[in-house]
Amino acid sequence: MTTLSRPDLSDIHRGDWVDRRLPAAWRPYTRLARLDRSVGIWLTLFPCWAALVQASHGLPDLRQLAIFSLGALLMRSAGSTINDIADRKFDGHVERTRFRPLASGEITTLPAFVFLAVELALAASLLFFLTPYTRLIAICVLPLVFIYPLCKRFTNWPQAILGAAFNWGMLMAWAEAAGHIPVGAVLMWAGAIAWQIGYDTIYAYVDLKDDTRLGLKSTAILFGRHGKTFIGLFYALAVGAWSLGGWLLEMSPPYAIGMLLIGVHLAWQTRRFDLARPDMNYRLFLANILTGVLLACTAFAGTW
């Protein structure tokens, strides 16, 4: 009689391109910045690109596209580093995070802080290429970036704080490309937050047992066995906010077709979600890269 092996839920896979191609001294910092796990980069970039397209009423300026793409990469990497520093005493006890550089002892806290300072300095250097108004909007996100890693200690809604910070580039894109942030753009940002609460809740269910044992908080712990219902609710709120936001931004009829496709995809995710299948939930989380692609393409189609 054969038994099913338990899936490996670790988000670091030994023997990957980091281990094969990079010098040993570079590897922990590459993993600290999450460059080996590109899903977070794409989930940051696609909403930002969508906002740039909408604010530009078509193809955005290549200079702005390059600045915002690099900024999203750097701020996502810095946010990941802050998170790993804050959670270093917990990560070693969680199956998904036990091999992260700080949790495993591959590097110590001091060099991680130095690396963080370099990341933040590089991100700050991009502000010189933006308008004063956009710089002000950019600075306003910093409290969220530093507060988020501590949220799981005192609130069940860390996913909401992460969503607000993760998608802040959407507001910056409007500030830079259009010189103002209309109500429709704020609704697009709010929709991205609702979307992130949904997909990050799916992700949080992967860690449910470990987080509960460690006394941490998350939407997955709050929703419990009603996760499918709440994930569907937040996905519906995302599509609703994006639809209303697009209407206020005077998107053309093809935008509605894109919203329909996004709604179908998110409904499929909700239907497939299974409390008893953390491996399936992790794959559903990754499927949101497609949601981001659809959002950016829908924004472009809406400018025709």
Side-chain angles (χ1 to χ4, degrees), residues 39 43 265 268-269 282-292:
V39 56
L43 292 175
H265 177 62
W268 169 80
Q269 285 189 37
Y282 182 68
R283 289 195 294 273
L284 290 174
F285 164 73
L286 295 177
N288 279 283
I289 294 177
L290 177 57
T291 312

Side-chain angles (χ1 to χ4, degrees), residues 192-238:
I193 295 174
W195 170 47
Q196 180 141 6
I197 291 174
Y199 74 67
D200 215 51
T201 296
I202 292 177
Y203 195 36
Y205 271 99
V206 177
D207 297 337
L208 182 63
K209 292 182 179 179
D210 291 327
D211 284 349
T212 302
R213 176 172 49 83
L214 293 169
L216 300 175
K217 301 178 184 293
S218 71
T219 47
I221 293 172
L222 177 65
F223 300 158
R225 300 191 64 82
H226 303 290
K228 185 186 289 283
T229 299
F230 281 99
I231 289 167
L233 172 62
F234 280 103
Y235 277 169
L237 288 173

Side-chain angles (χ1 to χ4, degrees), residues 41-214:
I41 297 173
W42 294 119
L43 292 175
T44 306
L45 281 175
F46 282 120
C48 187
W49 286 346
L52 269 177
V53 167
Q54 288 178 320
S56 304
H57 303 289
L59 291 175
D61 178 80
L62 289 179
R63 174 178 171 277
Q64 292 177 351
L65 188 63
I67 292 171
F68 277 87
S69 297
L70 186 55
L73 171 64
L74 288 170
M75 286 307 297
R76 186 261 180 173
S77 298
S80 299
T81 302
I82 295 169
N83 186 73
D84 280 12
I85 291 172
D87 286 352
R88 63 191 183 280
K89 294 183 180 178
F90 295 110
D91 283 346
H93 303 283
V94 177
E95 182 176 4
R96 182 177 59 85
T97 60
R98 67 191 188 279
F99 293 135
R100 289 182 176 178
L102 285 165
S104 65
E106 194 172 357
I107 59 172
T108 59
T109 307
L110 180 59
F113 271 114
V114 173
F115 182 63
L116 173 61
V118 172
E119 290 175 305
L120 292 175
L122 290 173
S125 68
L126 296 176
L127 295 178
F128 292 105
F129 300 99
L130 303 176
T131 65
Y133 179 47
T134 309
R135 292 174 199 163
L136 177 61
I137 299 299
I139 292 171
C140 289
V141 77
L142 290 178
L144 295 177
V145 173
F146 286 98
I147 289 172
Y148 164 69
L150 304 176
C151 285
K152 64 182 68 176
R153 293 159 174 79
F154 60 84
T155 178
N156 283 310
W157 294 94
Q159 283 75 19
I161 305 300
L162 179 62
F166 221 57
N167 298 289
W168 198 265
M170 299 176 74
L171 302 179
M172 291 176 58
W174 271 95
E176 183 67 18
H180 68 290
I181 304 174
V183 174
V186 175
L187 278 171
M188 295 297 297
W189 174 64
I193 295 174
W195 170 47
Q196 180 141 6
I197 291 174
Y199 74 67
D200 215 51
T201 296
I202 292 177
Y203 195 36
Y205 271 99
V206 177
D207 297 337
L208 182 63
K209 292 182 179 179
D210 291 327
D211 284 349
T212 302
R213 176 172 49 83
L214 293 169

